[in-house]
Amino acid sequence: MDLVIENLPLENGNDLLQQIGADNARSVLQYLETPADLARISAVSRFWRHFVAENQCSRGLCIKLFPEVSRFVCAFEIGQQVNFEGASLSKVTEWKNIEREHRVYTQLARDLMEPATENNCIQHPISASSTDIFPDESIMYTLHPSAIEDDRPSYWSSQGESNSDVPETLTYRLSSRLCVVHEVKIHPFQAYFQMGLPIYSAKAVRIRLGRTRSSTLLTSGMLDGMMSADRSASEDYVWTYISPEFPMQQEDKLQTFRLPKPVLCIGGILQIELLGRVQRQEMDGLYYICVCHARVVGRPLPAAYDFEALDQEEKYILKYSDRLECCGSLSEDLSRGSSEEYEAGGSSGWLSLSERIRRIRAGRVLLWNQSILKALLGNIVAAILMIPDDEDSDGDDDILRD
Amino acid sequence: MAEDPTAAMAKECKVRLKISDDTIFEVEYAVAMQSQMLKNALSDTGTDGTVPLHNISSEIMAKVVEYCAYHVNAANTISEKDVKIWDQEFLKDLDQATLFNLIMATQYMVIHNLQDLICQTVADRIKDKSAEEVREIFNIQNDLTPEEEEEIRHENQWAFEEEGWPEIQEEVRLEG
């Protein structure tokens, strides 16, 4: 190895960063902390532009802050031609692929580092592990902040247990499939109508983030069924993050459980685990857990992002469509219900989409088939769902008829 | 119980390092052991001879020895916080050329914590700097064509806005 031994004369025009070698240069770049710094380094010279992209510096920055990003084995832009074929991949094509991936991760780094913007990222509840009186005490009521709504109590209650160690879970769908979660707030319920004003909190709380295992589209008809059923098993979820346990206070107030650092939820599913019971109901002597309100503070990633799960467990492909980024206001308008087709309640078009499917095939489980949906629902929704233009859409009616 | 022979050596042995201008640096064994490369070299040959390091200058060697000696001493006696402060001071006013020579020497001698420290320091010097400032610091020629530069800045406009990109654009236009 050639070492530089004398003091380098600064006027010789050599790139000092190149001279310290690739390993050291990579180390230096790893210590940069913002996507803006990496972007400016890319503008310094042709060598630096290539070096930053080839060494996946933006991906490295994302992973440094959000280790979950390492689950993405690759990233690409929707609508762009990505060439992986053939051993004789030309240099130009190879560079274009690298550059595209670099752009996606650079944009991702920017979006991940934004502060929490949503005070409640919950789109709707999916299920509770048990419910005492359905539907009066269903998980739906945890969406309302107060303990009283329309002159009646508003809370979820578990079933009673004689063993105080039996846990419960509340599972929610977040407002986007990729969502940064900063903290979860839970307000345990104080039974103001019972003697002694008991507060049915849990001993501790744990948060799980992940996705549904199957690609089944949950229709709202199914949701009612799930919410009323006892679901003590771990359900069909893949958890990509499990938080530490946070102690919960037996206090009638909204308590904050802040994750040690913000976490990217890949899959849009959040589960609150309520560990241990502390309050018996005088009437039957059983332990219950009741929650008045739950909310998730974080930042849903823009609609431009999506992912696909690979067959290997825990590995994903990240997809990004900058078409949607530009048209952000369009999808936002639609999801805010400016079009009469979409319910005002949903924070994205998801609920209304499921409603439409339900009307089309009442009560049946539909496999998530993009070409079917595109054929059924038209191009506007297809754009929101980022279905590539060149996908085969021969209207596979056979599958619907199953 | 017999004293650990390594500890005994650490107290008494000196290691001789012969550098580029044939000067000899004598350092304590413990200090020399901060370098993986020396550690390996000495485990084979013992400490009697002189280790040649012809490719390192005396200025650089002095800095390396200073760092290693401080860290050997600091290991159990000085708080982590104070060590960090010392580390920052140690590299603070070094010019670019010295910094780079130091990084090469450290890499050769395999002193991981010093290597990381220097990389961190270099990174600190480029944080929040404009592309032009980075070029000045590291003596880099701008070989991007105006079209390429325009493309990069346009794609990453958000990163260059703080630089007063509109003003730079104005300058470029004026220069034709």
Side-chain angles (χ1 to χ4, degrees):
Chain A
M1 175 178 70
D2 278 338
L3 288 185
V4 173
I5 51 171
E6 304 91 8
N7 285 334
L8 286 174
L10 287 179
E11 58 275 2
N12 69 1
N14 282 330
D15 181 346
L16 296 183
L17 273 176
Q18 281 188 54
Q19 296 205 340
I20 56 174
D23 285 338
N24 285 319
R26 266 189 287 268
S27 290
V28 169
L29 294 183
Q30 264 166 35
Y31 282 109
L32 294 178
E33 286 165 353
T34 68
D37 281 329
L38 281 177
R40 285 192 284 264
I41 291 289
S42 299
V44 163
S45 73
R46 203 174 280 154
F47 175 83
W48 283 108
R49 188 182 176 200
H50 283 247
F51 192 87
V52 169
E54 276 162 358
N55 287 281
Q56 297 190 305
C57 293
S58 285
R59 181 169 188 265
L61 179 62
C62 291
I63 292 174
K64 193 161 91 168
L65 305 165
F66 293 85
E68 310 77 59
V69 173
S70 61
R71 296 180 192 276
F72 294 120
V73 299
C74 66
F76 63 91
E77 289 175 325
I78 304 260
Q80 300 277 356
Q81 202 63 21
V82 181
N83 290 309
F84 294 117
E85 312 294 349
S88 57
L89 200 57
S90 76
K91 280 267 176 233
V92 172
T93 316
E94 206 180 304
W95 166 243
K96 280 202 180 321
N97 289 343
I98 290 172
E99 208 182 16
R100 270 183 217 115
E101 202 174 41
H102 168 70
R103 271 206 297 270
V104 175
Y105 281 116
T106 301
Q107 187 59 41
L108 182 64
R110 290 184 66 202
D111 287 318
L112 289 175
M113 288 178 75
E114 289 282 326
T117 51
E118 286 291 318
N119 214 8
N120 198 359
C121 299
I122 292 177
Q123 189 179 82
H124 64 78
I126 296 176
S127 68
S129 45
S130 76
T131 305
D132 191 20
I133 304 169
F134 188 86
D136 292 358
E137 293 174 333
S138 109
I139 186 182
M140 281 299 296
Y141 291 102
T142 61
L143 296 183
H144 307 134
S146 79
I148 304 178
E149 192 82 13
D150 297 331
D151 292 330
R152 49 177 307 286
S154 164
Y155 65 97
W156 160 81
S157 171
S158 72
Q159 286 179 351
E161 295 282 345
S162 49
N163 176 3
S164 67
D165 287 331
V166 176
E168 296 285 342
T169 60
L170 296 172
T171 310
Y172 297 91
R173 181 173 285 284
L174 300 177
S175 52
S176 86
R177 299 216 314 145
L178 289 166
C179 185
V180 179
V181 175
H182 289 241
E183 58 192 33
V184 176
K185 296 188 194 248
I186 307 172
H187 188 159
F189 180 67
Q190 178 172 48
Y192 57 86
F193 43 80
Q194 289 182 346
M195 282 271 283
L197 304 176
I199 301 174
Y200 291 95
S201 56
K203 281 189 194 145
V205 162
R206 192 161 54 197
I207 307 298
R208 290 175 185 253
L209 300 175
R211 64 177 174 90
T212 51
R213 192 182 291 278
S214 69
S215 55
T216 308
L217 180 63
L218 299 175
T219 65
S220 52
M222 283 178 73
L223 286 180
D224 286 339
M226 286 167 84
M227 282 192 268
S228 65
D230 277 351
R231 300 180 68 82
S232 49
S234 61
E235 292 127 351
D236 298 310
Y237 301 112
V238 177
W239 301 117
T240 53
Y241 172 80
I242 300 173
S243 79
E245 277 181 32
F246 305 99
M248 187 182 223
Q249 308 304 319
Q250 193 176 12
E251 287 171 8
D252 175 29
K253 63 178 190 181
L254 190 66
Q255 301 177 31
T256 300
F257 303 95
R258 190 170 184 85
L259 300 185
K261 52 198 282 290
V263 176
L264 175 66
C265 174
I266 304 173
I269 305 288
L270 181 143
Q271 185 175 85
I272 298 173
E273 281 186 279
L274 298 154
L275 305 165
R277 301 159 190 252
V278 300
Q279 183 65 53
R280 263 196 233 263
Q281 181 170 242
E282 202 181 308
M283 218 168 62
D284 54 12
L286 297 176
Y287 289 98
Y288 290 81
I289 303 179
C290 305
V291 169
C292 165
H293 181 49
R295 67 161 72 155
V296 174
V297 179
R299 184 173 196 271
L301 288 192
Y305 293 97
D306 197 6
F307 69 91
E308 256 176 52
L310 294 178
D311 287 337
Q312 309 149 260
E313 195 81 1
E314 312 308 327
K315 295 294 180 197
Y316 305 91
I317 295 176
L318 177 64
K319 303 194 284 195
Y320 179 79
S321 172
D322 62 3
R323 269 186 294 134
L324 284 180
E325 198 71 287
C326 312
C327 305
S329 55
L330 170 66
S331 57
E332 272 164 11
D333 282 342
L334 286 173
S335 61
R336 269 193 227 114
S338 61
S339 156
E340 64 189 11
E341 300 222 348
Y342 291 86
E343 290 169 25
S347 59
S348 80
W350 196 92
L351 264 180
S352 50
L353 173 62
S354 76
E355 259 307 302
R356 295 183 70 177
I357 296 172
R358 203 169 75 85
R359 284 177 210 149
I360 292 165
R361 304 299 294 185
R364 283 169 93 161
V365 171
L366 262 187
L367 285 176
W368 183 262
N369 185 306
Q370 294 184 335
S371 57
I372 294 175
L373 289 171
K374 190 177 178 189
L376 289 174
L377 302 169
N379 284 326
I380 292 174
V381 177
I384 291 173
L385 297 173
M386 296 174 298
I387 298 169
D389 285 336
D390 55 352
E391 185 155 301
D392 185 26
S393 53
D394 283 348
D396 294 314
D397 290 326
D398 291 335
I399 298 176
L400 276 185
R401 266 184 252 123
D402 84 326
Chain B
M1 186 165 72
E3 202 181 72
D4 173 16
T6 324
M9 270 216 283
K11 286 178 200 149
E12 288 159 17
C13 278
K14 297 280 187 193
V15 174
R16 293 152 59 87
L17 308 171
K18 187 177 191 184
I19 57 168
S20 61
D21 56 1
D22 288 341
T23 328
I24 307 274
F25 269 74
E26 258 194 10
V27 296
E28 284 175 20
Y29 184 80
V31 173
M33 287 302 100
Q34 297 273 299
S35 153
Q36 277 299 122
M37 174 261 194
L38 287 180
K39 195 168 175 178
N40 294 338
L42 293 172
S43 68
D44 295 334
T45 64
T47 58
D48 288 337
T50 305
V51 181
L53 293 169
H54 296 304
N55 41 19
I56 300 181
S57 73
S58 70
E59 186 200 348
I60 298 299
M61 196 67 227
K63 284 305 257 185
V64 172
V65 170
E66 188 189 344
Y67 177 87
C68 293
Y70 177 81
H71 275 256
V72 164
N73 181 46
N76 295 317
T77 55
I78 305 184
S79 76
E80 245 186 73
K81 191 171 139 212
D82 287 336
V83 169
K84 272 196 171 42
I85 295 174
W86 187 92
D87 281 348
Q88 295 303 322
E89 279 302 309
F90 175 66
L91 293 177
K92 196 170 95 170
D93 295 315
L94 294 184
D95 62 70
Q96 294 307 119
T98 311
L99 211 55
F100 286 109
N101 281 319
L102 200 51
I103 217 180
M104 303 298 276
T106 309
Q107 188 173 22
Y108 181 69
M109 293 180 71
V110 192
I111 307 172
H112 289 301
N113 47 356
L114 179 56
Q115 196 174 357
D116 286 342
L117 178 66
I118 303 172
C119 287
Q120 166 89 73
T121 304
V122 172
D124 287 342
R125 292 190 186 189
I126 52 182
K127 270 177 200 169
D128 299 326
K129 296 275 192 326
S130 73
E132 189 49 45
E133 284 168 317
V134 173
R135 280 189 211 116
E136 273 171 37
I137 294 173
F138 298 117
N139 206 29
I140 300 170
Q141 300 288 4
N142 181 6
D143 58 356
L144 295 167
T145 65
E147 293 80 29
E148 280 172 324
E149 202 164 342
E150 165 84 33
E151 191 190 324
I152 297 174
R153 284 174 181 268
H154 178 73
E155 233 170 57
N156 297 303
Q157 211 161 5
W158 46 276
F160 295 98
E161 262 154 20
E162 302 96 73
E163 273 180 35
W165 158 231
E167 288 104 279
I168 296 173
Q169 198 176 21
E170 188 61 31
E171 279 170 18
V172 167
R173 225 179 293 131
L174 289 173
E175 282 163 21

